[in-house]
Amino acid sequence: MASNTSVLSIVGGATFALLVTVSLVLAYTYLTTLFKYELDVRKHPDHGSKIQVAQHPPLVPYAIPGLGSTISFSNQNIGVFWRWLRTQAERYQQDAFSIMLSGTRTHFIFSEAGISAAFRSRQLSRARLDQQLGTNVLGMSKADSLKAFPYDIDEKEKSTTARIHSEHLLTPNAVNSLTSKFMEVFLQRLDSDRSLDKGVEIDLYDWLWQNIFRSSTTALCGAKLLEMHPDFDKDYQTWEDGMLGMLFGTPRLFASESYAARDSAVSKLEKWLEAGYASSTGNQEDLDWEPNFGAKVVRKRHAFYKQQGLSVHAQAGFDLIFLAGILSNATPATGWLLLHILSPTSDPKFHPTIMNELRSCQRPDGSVDISVLTRLPLLNSAFHEILRLYVDLLVVRQVDSSVAIGHHYVKQGEQVMAPSWMTHRNPAFFADPEVFDPERFLKRDEETGKLGYSATGLGGKYFPFGGGHYMCPGRTFAKQEVLGSVAVLLLNFDIEFVEFAKRDGKQPVGIDKDATGFPGLKKGYAGNQVVGIEGDMRVRIKRKNHIR
Ligand code: HEM
C-alpha cells in the first residue's frame, strides 16, 4: 500500500513537473516572440518612409514552438484571419508580416510594390509546394512528383508544361476551340432537358454545377471519361472539399473521406487513361478535340508525361489537378455572377442593363457571338468584380536564395505568400471593398464619352489569376466559359427568383451582413482561389427560345 502511494506520488510529481515545463516553454516562447514583435513593429513603422535596408517583416508572436501560428491561420471561416491581419497592419502601419507556419517562416506581403516585386523575382519559385501537392493532394509517389514538378525554374521554362500552355491553352485558336466545344456540350445538355420546356423549379447553383461540370470535363478530357465513370463528380466534389487540408498535411486519420475520394478519383482517371492509350490510333495528334483524350492541350500534356517517364498513376493525378483549374474556379465564378445578376438584393438596374448588353451579342439564329460577348463593358466589369470579391488566392513561393522583395528581406528556405484577400479588399485600393459593385471596373473614355471596362493601373493590387512565371494559363478560356454560360442561360431562359435556399437545411456561413439570405462563403482553408458557395437560390426556369 505504502509503495503504491509512493508510485502514485512519483507519477503525480512527474506529471506536475511536465505541466510546469510545458507551461514555461509556452510562456517563454510567447513572451520572447511578443517582445521581438513589439520591437520590430516599432523599428520600421512607416513603409512610406525611404527605407534603405530591406528588413525581415515582423514575426507575429506565437506560443507553440514548431507549430507557430498554424492554428489561427487554419481558421476555416474565410476572411477571418485576413481581417485580423489587416487590423494589425493598420494598427502598426505595416505592409507585411511573417508568421511561423509548421516550422517555416512565411512572409505575407500585401503592398502593391511588394506583390509586384514578388511576381518579378527569379529567386522565388513554387517547385516544393507543387511537389507537396503531387504527393499529398494527387497521390503521386515522391519520385513521380519530382519528375512532374522539376525544381529548377529555368528547366521549367524550357520544359514543356509552360510551353504547352502558352501554345495550346492561351492562344486565341486554342481558347476559341475550347470555348466552342464547351458551348456545344452545354447547349446539348440544356436542349435535351425536356423539363425546361414547361418550366421547373431548381436550386440554381446545384443545377448549374452539374451542367458545367459535365460540359467542362467533356470539353477538356473528352466524352469517354464520364461515359466510363458517370459518378466521377462525387469523388471530385469530396476531393475538392478536402484538397487544401491534404495539401497542408492533415493526416489520413483526420481526413479519411478526402483521401478515399482522392484515391478513387485518381483510380478512375487511371482506368480512363489506360483505355484511351489502348484504343489510341496515334493519328489524332492534331485534332482540336477527340472523344478519348479531349482537347489538344490535354494530349500535349500527355506527351510531356510520357517524356518525363511518369507512371500512369501520376499522369492521372496530373489530369486531376488540371481539371481543378476549370472545375473549382470557373464554375463557382459563374455561380456567383448569376446569383448576383438574378438576386432581388442587387441594384434593380443591374439585371436589365446586362440583358441589353447580352442581346447585342446574340446572332439572328439565337447563338452567341463570343468575340462581341467578351467585350461587353458591364459584363466584363461584373466578372472582374466577382473575382475581386470571391477569389481567396494565396500566391505561394519558396525562397530559393535570400533576396529583397521590395523593402522586405526574405531568406533562403523561407516562404513568401501574397494574399489576394488583403489587397482585393483594401479600402485604399477599392472604395467600399466589401460591397459587390458591378460597375467598379467601368471607366468613361474622355474622348468618346463612352463607358468601357478597364483594369489598368491595378498591378500588385488585383491579381485573381496570380502573376509572373506561374500566372494562370487558363485565364482567357475561363473568362469565355463563364461569360458564355451566363449569356446562354440568360438569353434563352426565363429565370425567376423564388427564394434563397439553405443547402441541406444548414444556415450558410458568412451569410451577407444584411441577413437577406443571399448565399455565403463556403468554409475552407485560406487559398481556395474562387471561394465555394454555401446556400443557393431557388428559381423557376423555363426555356424561351429554341437553342441551337
Ligand atoms: C476564374 C477562373 C480561374 C482562376 C481564378 C484561376 C486562378 C489561378 C491561379 C491563381 C493560379 C496560380 C498562379 C500563381 O501561382 O501565380 C492558376 C494556375 C493554373 N491554372 Fe488557373 N484559374 C482559373 C481558371 C483556369 C482554367 C479554366 C484552366 C484550364 C483550363 C486553368 C489552368 C491553370 C493551370 C494549368 C495552372 C498552373 C500553371 C503553372 O503551374 O504554371 N485555370 N490559376
Side-chain angles (χ1 to χ4, degrees), residues 126 156 165 169 322 325-326 329-330 387 393 397 464-467 470 472-474 477-478 529-530:
R126 220 183 51 195
K156 185 169 162 69
H165 293 154
L169 185 54
F322 191 54
I326 188 164
N329 287 308
L387 298 185
L393 161 67
R397 305 285 187 260
F465 294 107
Y470 298 97
C472 174
F477 174 45
Q529 301 194 356
V530 182

Side-chain angles (χ1 to χ4, degrees), residues 119 126 130 156 161-162 165 169 178 220 301 322 325-326 329-330 333 383 387 391 393-397 463-475 477-478 481-482 529-530:
F119 285 144
R126 220 183 51 195
D130 284 345
K156 185 169 162 69
T161 43
H165 293 154
L169 185 54
L178 280 164
L220 221 53
R301 282 172 59 102
F322 191 54
I326 188 164
N329 287 308
F383 171 66
L387 298 185
V391 166
L393 161 67
L394 265 181
V395 171
V396 186
R397 305 285 187 260
F463 48 94
F465 294 107
H469 176 74
Y470 298 97
M471 188 171 186
C472 174
R475 56 193 180 274
F477 174 45
E481 186 193 299
V482 173
Q529 301 194 356
V530 182

Side-chain angles (χ1 to χ4, degrees), residues 138-185:
L138 309 176
M140 291 181 184
S141 69
K142 232 182 160 116
D144 269 334
S145 168
L146 283 168
K147 286 185 214 161
F149 305 105
Y151 251 112
D152 189 325
I153 194 165
D154 288 316
E155 270 307 308
K156 185 169 162 69
E157 246 176 18
K158 274 184 260 144
S159 103
T160 22
T161 43
R163 183 164 298 171
I164 289 167
H165 293 154
S166 60
E167 285 173 17
H168 302 288
L169 185 54
L170 260 173
T171 54
N173 270 352
V175 172
N176 290 335
S177 139
L178 280 164
T179 311
S180 65
K181 192 69 204 177
F182 167 80
M183 295 286 271
E184 179 193 318
V185 184

Side-chain angles (χ1 to χ4, degrees), residues 76-129:
Q76 294 202 38
N77 290 310
I78 306 270
V80 169
F81 181 77
W82 304 127
R83 276 197 290 280
W84 175 81
L85 207 59
R86 169 142 307 288
T87 316
Q88 294 292 301
E90 280 163 10
R91 180 164 168 210
Y92 294 113
Q93 300 264 300
Q94 298 292 322
D95 55 12
F97 285 106
S98 305
I99 72 167
M100 205 49 114
L101 267 189
S102 309
T104 303
R105 185 162 176 159
T106 304
H107 306 287
F108 287 79
I109 293 180
F110 41 90
S111 68
E112 191 181 344
I115 288 167
S116 302
F119 285 144
R120 281 194 308 270
S121 173
R122 309 295 295 165
Q123 278 78 25
L124 304 181
S125 76
R126 220 183 51 195
R128 199 172 52 210
L129 184 83

Side-chain angles (χ1 to χ4, degrees), residues 132 136-137 239 242-250 255 258-259 262:
Q132 196 172 320
N136 297 4
V137 182
W239 170 81
M243 180 161 70
L244 285 179
M246 290 186 281
L247 179 64
F248 294 141
T250 309
S258 312
Y259 284 100
R262 174 196 77 180

Side-chain angles (χ1 to χ4, degrees), residues 436-472:
F436 172 75
D437 173 5
E439 298 183 2
R440 191 179 294 275
F441 294 95
L442 288 183
K443 284 219 174 77
R444 196 166 292 283
D445 185 300
E446 285 182 5
E447 279 174 20
T448 63
K450 276 192 178 166
L451 272 181
Y453 157 75
S454 163
T456 45
L458 292 178
K461 295 178 186 163
Y462 176 74
F463 48 94
F465 294 107
H469 176 74
Y470 298 97
M471 188 171 186
C472 174

